[in-house]
mmCIF file of all heavy atoms in Angstrom:
data_model
loop_
_atom_site.group_PDB
_atom_site.id
_atom_site.type_symbol
_atom_site.label_atom_id
_atom_site.label_comp_id
_atom_site.label_asym_id
_atom_site.label_seq_id
_atom_site.Cartn_x
_atom_site.Cartn_y
_atom_site.Cartn_z
ATOM 1 N N VAL A 123 14.079 -11.122 14.661
ATOM 2 C CA VAL A 123 12.978 -10.270 14.213
ATOM 3 C C VAL A 123 13.097 -9.981 12.725
ATOM 4 O O VAL A 123 12.171 -10.220 11.954
ATOM 5 C CB VAL A 123 12.908 -8.972 15.053
ATOM 6 C CG1 VAL A 123 11.888 -8.010 14.468
ATOM 7 C CG2 VAL A 123 12.562 -9.305 16.498
ATOM 8 N N SER A 124 14.253 -9.481 12.304
ATOM 9 C CA SER A 124 14.408 -9.161 10.880
ATOM 10 C C SER A 124 14.295 -10.417 10.025
ATOM 11 O O SER A 124 13.718 -10.385 8.935
ATOM 12 C CB SER A 124 15.732 -8.437 10.617
ATOM 13 O OG SER A 124 16.830 -9.216 11.019
ATOM 14 N N GLN A 125 14.803 -11.533 10.498
ATOM 15 C CA GLN A 125 14.719 -12.780 9.731
ATOM 16 C C GLN A 125 13.276 -13.245 9.557
ATOM 17 O O GLN A 125 12.936 -13.858 8.559
ATOM 18 C CB GLN A 125 15.540 -13.878 10.406
ATOM 19 C CG GLN A 125 17.027 -13.642 10.302
ATOM 20 C CD GLN A 125 17.822 -14.702 11.053
ATOM 21 O OE1 GLN A 125 17.266 -15.623 11.630
ATOM 22 N NE2 GLN A 125 19.130 -14.562 11.049
ATOM 23 N N HIS A 126 12.424 -12.953 10.520
ATOM 24 C CA HIS A 126 11.023 -13.356 10.418
ATOM 25 C C HIS A 126 10.206 -12.355 9.607
ATOM 26 O O HIS A 126 9.318 -12.745 8.838
ATOM 27 C CB HIS A 126 10.411 -13.502 11.815
ATOM 28 C CG HIS A 126 8.987 -13.956 11.792
ATOM 29 N ND1 HIS A 126 8.629 -15.283 11.685
ATOM 30 C CD2 HIS A 126 7.828 -13.260 11.831
ATOM 31 C CE1 HIS A 126 7.310 -15.383 11.662
ATOM 32 N NE2 HIS A 126 6.801 -14.167 11.759
ATOM 33 N N VAL A 127 10.496 -11.073 9.784
ATOM 34 C CA VAL A 127 9.694 -10.036 9.125
ATOM 35 C C VAL A 127 9.827 -10.098 7.605
ATOM 36 O O VAL A 127 8.834 -9.984 6.884
ATOM 37 C CB VAL A 127 10.063 -8.633 9.663
ATOM 38 C CG1 VAL A 127 9.440 -7.529 8.819
ATOM 39 C CG2 VAL A 127 9.622 -8.492 11.120
ATOM 40 N N VAL A 128 11.044 -10.278 7.106
ATOM 41 C CA VAL A 128 11.269 -10.209 5.660
ATOM 42 C C VAL A 128 10.338 -11.146 4.877
ATOM 43 O O VAL A 128 9.651 -10.701 3.958
ATOM 44 C CB VAL A 128 12.756 -10.448 5.312
ATOM 45 C CG1 VAL A 128 12.958 -10.658 3.825
ATOM 46 C CG2 VAL A 128 13.600 -9.287 5.815
ATOM 47 N N PRO A 129 10.256 -12.428 5.177
ATOM 48 C CA PRO A 129 9.393 -13.289 4.344
ATOM 49 C C PRO A 129 7.904 -13.207 4.678
ATOM 50 O O PRO A 129 7.088 -13.705 3.907
ATOM 51 C CB PRO A 129 9.919 -14.702 4.623
ATOM 52 C CG PRO A 129 10.494 -14.624 5.997
ATOM 53 C CD PRO A 129 11.055 -13.227 6.110
ATOM 54 N N HIS A 130 7.534 -12.588 5.803
ATOM 55 C CA HIS A 130 6.127 -12.600 6.212
ATOM 56 C C HIS A 130 5.414 -11.257 6.099
ATOM 57 O O HIS A 130 4.189 -11.201 6.224
ATOM 58 C CB HIS A 130 6.008 -13.111 7.657
ATOM 59 C CG HIS A 130 6.413 -14.541 7.789
ATOM 60 N ND1 HIS A 130 7.666 -14.933 8.191
ATOM 61 C CD2 HIS A 130 5.737 -15.686 7.542
ATOM 62 C CE1 HIS A 130 7.745 -16.250 8.200
ATOM 63 N NE2 HIS A 130 6.587 -16.738 7.808
ATOM 64 N N ALA A 131 6.138 -10.182 5.891
ATOM 65 C CA ALA A 131 5.513 -8.855 5.834
ATOM 66 C C ALA A 131 4.603 -8.739 4.612
ATOM 67 O O ALA A 131 4.796 -9.414 3.602
ATOM 68 C CB ALA A 131 6.586 -7.776 5.792
ATOM 69 N N HIS A 132 3.611 -7.864 4.725
ATOM 70 C CA HIS A 132 2.627 -7.644 3.667
ATOM 71 C C HIS A 132 2.957 -6.418 2.818
ATOM 72 O O HIS A 132 2.096 -5.935 2.075
ATOM 73 C CB HIS A 132 1.232 -7.505 4.277
ATOM 74 C CG HIS A 132 0.856 -8.677 5.125
ATOM 75 N ND1 HIS A 132 0.421 -9.877 4.594
ATOM 76 C CD2 HIS A 132 0.900 -8.861 6.465
ATOM 77 C CE1 HIS A 132 0.187 -10.730 5.572
ATOM 78 N NE2 HIS A 132 0.471 -10.140 6.724
ATOM 79 N N CYS A 133 4.178 -5.915 2.949
ATOM 80 C CA CYS A 133 4.642 -4.754 2.204
ATOM 81 C C CYS A 133 6.160 -4.878 2.062
ATOM 82 O O CYS A 133 6.764 -5.765 2.676
ATOM 83 C CB CYS A 133 4.264 -3.454 2.925
ATOM 84 S SG CYS A 133 5.126 -3.202 4.484
ATOM 85 N N PRO A 134 6.789 -4.011 1.279
ATOM 86 C CA PRO A 134 8.249 -4.064 1.194
ATOM 87 C C PRO A 134 8.898 -3.835 2.560
ATOM 88 O O PRO A 134 8.349 -3.142 3.421
ATOM 89 C CB PRO A 134 8.590 -2.924 0.231
ATOM 90 C CG PRO A 134 7.345 -2.711 -0.567
ATOM 91 C CD PRO A 134 6.212 -3.016 0.377
ATOM 92 N N VAL A 135 10.084 -4.421 2.733
ATOM 93 C CA VAL A 135 10.830 -4.320 3.988
ATOM 94 C C VAL A 135 12.247 -3.848 3.677
ATOM 95 O O VAL A 135 12.883 -4.351 2.760
ATOM 96 C CB VAL A 135 10.906 -5.684 4.716
ATOM 97 C CG1 VAL A 135 11.734 -5.585 5.999
ATOM 98 C CG2 VAL A 135 9.512 -6.210 5.012
#
Side-chain angles (χ1 to χ4, degrees):
V123 172
S124 59
Q125 290 177 1
H126 182 83
V127 169
V128 168
H130 294 97
H132 304 281
C133 68
V135 178

